[in-house]
Amino acid sequence: MSMDRQHIHPAFPWRGSSANAMSTQPNDTRSVDMCPKLHHAVCRGRTEEVLERLVPLHGAAAADKATGIIQHGRCDILEVTAAGNTVLHLAAEKGRDELIQELYIRFREKVKSLLSRQNSALDTPLHCAARAGSDKAVVVLVRLARECGESILGCKNEAGDTALHLAARHGHAKAVEALVSAATAVAAKLNNAGVSPLYLAVMSGSVEALKAITTCREASSVGPGLQNALHAAVFQRKAPKMVELLLKWRKALADEVDCNGSSPLHLASSDGDCKLVAAILRDAPSRTVYKKDLCGLSALHVAAQMGHHRVAELLLESCPDAAELRDNNGRTFLHAAANEKRSSVVSLAIKKFKDSKLRGLLDAQDRKGDTPLHLAVAAGAPGVVEALLRKGKVRVDVFNNDGKTPLDLAAESTSYFTMVSLVVMLGAFKAQTQPQRQDRLKPWDISNIMKGIEKTFNSLAVVAVLIAIAALAAGFNGDNGKANLERKPAFRIFPFLDTLAMATSMVAAILLVYGKSFVASLHCMWVSLNSLMLAFNEALVSVMPANYRFGLMVLTLKLEHRRTKFNNHMINALINVKIRIRTWIRK
């Protein structure tokens, strides 16, 4: 028996998951599985074939009430798929607007009942069209529902989504425009997650969908976690344009906070996008800058913590007194920057406050009595400490609530080299430790420091020996004990420099091994490295073409200048540390 001629299926009650779905089914609550050929014809948009299979034949379908068996010779428009989709669902999902229109003309009464028919996920044909972005099918379904007096625009599926939610989530701008123009009140509905169509449109990144929904003044902008659409717009690809549209539509969005107390400006400051922050500052109320989250952090605090100095500068230019805002720990944005080692923000604060009435913020103390200098020292940030001392001229004698100065905190550093840098830097600005009676002075534990110094001695001794070996090998590199380039004029100075490098490196190694003079050994290594570099430079010049020699000499001089500055800085630092250690040991 041909499949398209005869179908025998047991009748079954509708398998919908809600009472609402049950109420929208036919009165006999019977359904027939959809014919595969009808399914294919609808999906492919073959209108003539669909209509031919759906031609009503008198007596073609008969039901045996005792057995519950339905038999028919041709397809019925009420047939459904395994998921409960009708012919109208399939046509809407595939965007077959002409087929939907023709079905309505031929089977008006039955199609009228199918407009609000829900499948197993409680989707109506309008949901399917909106999800697929079939804007023409959306227009046809909305028009037919209006003619039939059916209210399907506000119908929700299993997730609580209306057709507008689905169109907005997928960024189908034309479908969104068609739905909004049909009923503006739908834009105010929320789904089961408490999310509005406007929020979903922003998340989709569709500016056109956003424009369509913002034509409704009563539209909702609510998102998850008490966020609004402006929160979502901050992190989109077309963020500045979306932010501009949303603030033009409703400026109060900039002043709303989420469940953590964060405003859209907080999120924009954390992202570090200057254009985005400028767009919010331009249209938002001035009080937005002063908003604090649950931790008491303002947008300026957030920018400082993330190291976005350009954003911080924009916020300070907009509201200079925002610098006085303090978080729940009594910290300003400068405290936050110092604690997170953000030297660029610290430099900005010094530049802004050095000669202004806010100069006192550089030495401001939080609830624990810590100044920005205390926090920078505790965080182990020599760069921030140097900026505060040299440019900010901050005080070094401030005690926190534990009675400790920045120098006391520097001595507690767990990193040897960081401790050395901080102690030398603070010592250069005459920083002092907490005053104590000499008989109650707690001896400073220098065991870790001495271990670090011992490792430094050993490492430098190895370096000195390697330099000596390199110099010795270079001096005897040739055939039969003779240098290959001895006749070159540029090579005449090579033996002298090579010998000097080897001799000074050996002296440095001896001084380091026997611990006679650390500073003298450093000077010897400095002479050795310079001599060795100049010796190799002479060797290279002797074998290179004349046009390359000048560039090589310039490069060598630049490298020598930079290395000399570094060596002098390290030598001075180590000398100061040695003096400081001796002083503490004597105490």
Side-chain angles (χ1 to χ4, degrees):
M1 184 176 294
S2 176
M3 182 179 295
D4 62 334
R5 286 297 211 178
Q6 182 74 20
H7 301 280
I8 302 178
H9 299 286
F12 53 88
W14 178 250
R15 297 185 293 260
S17 58
S18 73
N20 185 25
M22 292 288 293
S23 64
T24 59
Q25 307 316 313
N27 295 331
D28 60 359
T29 67
R30 296 172 181 247
S31 297
V32 181
D33 288 347
M34 184 174 292
C35 170
K37 292 190 176 182
L38 176 62
H39 186 283
H40 292 317
V42 173
C43 292
R44 294 173 184 174
R46 297 175 180 174
T47 304
E48 294 182 0
E49 183 179 348
V50 171
L51 295 176
E52 181 181 354
R53 292 184 176 278
L54 293 177
V55 172
L57 297 177
H58 297 288
D64 187 351
K65 295 182 180 180
T67 60
I69 300 298
I70 298 177
Q71 301 182 15
H72 61 83
R74 288 188 177 273
C75 302
D76 192 289
I77 198 172
L78 298 179
E79 294 177 358
V80 296
T81 64
N85 292 312
T86 65
V87 171
L88 219 56
H89 284 88
L90 299 178
E93 186 174 2
K94 298 298 181 179
R96 311 302 182 187
D97 56 295
E98 295 180 357
L99 176 58
I100 295 172
Q101 181 66 35
E102 193 65 31
L103 288 173
Y104 178 72
I105 295 173
R106 298 289 184 92
F107 309 95
R108 183 181 298 268
E109 292 302 321
K110 289 186 177 182
V111 170
K112 182 179 178 179
S113 67
L114 294 181
L115 288 173
S116 57
R117 182 81 171 257
Q118 294 174 297
N119 60 16
S120 59
L122 305 187
D123 286 330
T124 65
L126 186 60
H127 282 90
C128 297
R131 182 187 291 109
S134 306
D135 54 291
K136 292 183 179 180
V138 168
V139 172
V140 170
L141 289 170
V142 170
R143 180 173 56 81
L144 295 180
R146 187 178 301 165
E147 291 180 6
C148 299
E150 293 287 338
S151 179
I152 60 174
L153 290 171
C155 186
K156 295 184 176 183
N157 63 9
E158 201 169 30
D161 290 327
T162 63
L164 183 58
H165 280 93
L166 297 178
R169 177 181 286 118
H170 294 88
H172 300 315
K174 292 184 178 180
V176 169
E177 187 176 355
L179 291 167
V180 170
S181 60
T184 58
V186 184
K189 290 184 176 293
L190 307 181
N191 62 12
N192 294 347
V195 179
S196 64
L198 180 59
Y199 189 93
L200 294 174
V202 172
M203 291 298 294
S204 72
S206 175
V207 177
E208 297 301 321
L210 173 61
K211 286 181 179 179
I213 299 179
T214 50
T215 56
C216 309
R217 299 303 302 176
E218 65 273 15
S220 173
S221 63
V222 177
L226 299 181
Q227 288 187 348
N228 60 38
L230 191 56
H231 286 90
V234 169
F235 295 103
Q236 300 305 313
R237 289 186 299 106
K238 302 176 181 178
K241 193 168 185 178
M242 285 188 168
V243 167
E244 184 180 352
L245 286 171
L246 287 168
L247 289 176
K248 185 178 179 181
W249 173 65
R250 187 177 294 169
K251 290 187 177 182
L253 292 177
D255 214 31
E256 297 177 0
V257 297
D258 61 12
C259 58
N260 297 316
S262 300
S263 68
L265 188 58
H266 280 89
L267 274 66
S269 297
S270 69
D271 191 42
D273 191 332
C274 294
K275 293 182 179 179
L276 194 59
V277 173
I280 295 177
L281 292 176
R282 184 172 54 251
D283 296 324
S286 59
R287 62 179 180 272
T288 304
V289 181
Y290 304 99
K291 285 280 185 180
K292 295 182 180 181
D293 63 11
L294 298 183
C295 297
L297 299 176
S298 66
L300 185 57
H301 283 88
V302 174
Q305 286 183 344
M306 298 299 296
H308 302 316
H309 66 282
R310 297 186 184 278
V311 172
E313 188 172 9
L314 283 174
L315 294 170
L316 288 173
E317 288 177 357
S318 175
C319 300
D321 57 337
E324 301 176 2
L325 294 173
R326 294 178 180 253
D327 62 11
N328 294 346
N329 295 318
R331 295 180 177 181
T332 65
F333 83 98
L334 183 56
H335 285 91
N339 191 51
E340 297 294 333
K341 307 179 184 180
R342 306 299 186 182
S343 56
S344 59
V345 179
V346 172
S347 299
L348 171 67
I350 293 171
K351 179 182 177 182
K352 292 284 185 182
F353 304 155
K354 188 176 180 181
D355 300 320
S356 70
K357 63 180 182 179
L358 298 174
R359 173 69 179 78
L361 292 178
L362 296 177
D363 292 310
Q365 294 178 272
D366 61 13
R367 290 185 178 178
K368 293 183 180 180
D370 290 323
T371 64
L373 183 60
H374 281 89
L375 296 177
V377 171
V384 176
V385 172
E386 184 177 8
L388 289 169
L389 292 172
R390 294 188 184 279
K391 299 178 182 179
K393 308 295 182 182
V394 297
R395 295 175 58 187
V396 295
D397 57 350
V398 179
F399 296 93
N400 63 13
N401 293 353
D402 295 328
K404 294 184 178 181
T405 65
L407 188 57
D408 292 318
L409 297 178
E412 298 174 0
S413 177
T414 57
S415 172
Y416 166 68
F417 290 103
T418 301
M419 184 276 298
V420 169
S421 301
L422 294 174
V423 169
V424 170
M425 211 173 297
L426 291 166
F429 286 86
K430 301 179 180 180
Q432 296 182 354
T433 59
Q434 178 185 10
Q436 297 183 43
R437 283 172 48 180
Q438 295 298 319
D439 60 329
R440 295 184 179 179
L441 185 64
K442 183 180 179 181
W444 191 34
D445 184 11
I446 61 172
S447 58
N448 292 331
I449 297 175
M450 295 309 296
K451 289 180 182 178
I453 293 176
E454 184 179 353
K455 290 181 180 178
T456 304
F457 270 61
N458 296 336
S459 300
L460 290 176
V462 172
V463 172
V465 172
L466 290 175
I467 294 173
I469 294 172
L472 182 64
F476 289 94
N477 185 20
D479 295 331
N480 299 322
K482 294 183 179 181
N484 293 331
L485 304 173
E486 60 179 350
R487 296 182 180 180
K488 296 284 185 178
F491 192 73
R492 293 174 183 175
I493 198 173
F494 177 83
F496 170 75
L497 293 172
D498 188 67
T499 303
L500 181 61
M502 185 182 67
T504 51
S505 62
M506 290 302 297
V507 172
I510 293 171
L511 292 174
L512 288 168
V513 169
Y514 289 97
K516 294 297 182 181
S517 177
F518 181 65
V519 176
S521 63
L522 286 178
H523 280 90
C524 288
M525 286 190 65
W526 178 80
V527 174
S528 177
L529 286 170
N530 281 288
S531 300
L532 189 61
M533 186 181 68
L534 291 174
F536 279 106
N537 179 69
E538 291 298 322
L540 287 173
V541 168
S542 63
V543 298
M544 292 178 64
N547 56 340
Y548 288 102
R549 293 177 185 176
F550 179 74
L552 180 62
M553 291 176 63
V554 172
L555 179 62
T556 303
L557 290 174
K558 287 184 178 180
L559 293 174
E560 174 67 15
H561 175 68
R562 292 185 179 181
R563 193 165 60 81
T564 301
K565 290 176 62 179
F566 174 76
N567 289 340
N568 290 338
H569 176 74
M570 288 299 298
I571 290 171
N572 293 333
L574 290 169
I575 290 172
N576 290 330
V577 170
K578 185 177 180 180
I579 295 171
R580 183 67 61 183
I581 291 173
R582 283 181 178 176
T583 303
W584 273 319
I585 291 174
R586 288 174 183 174
K587 289 183 180 181

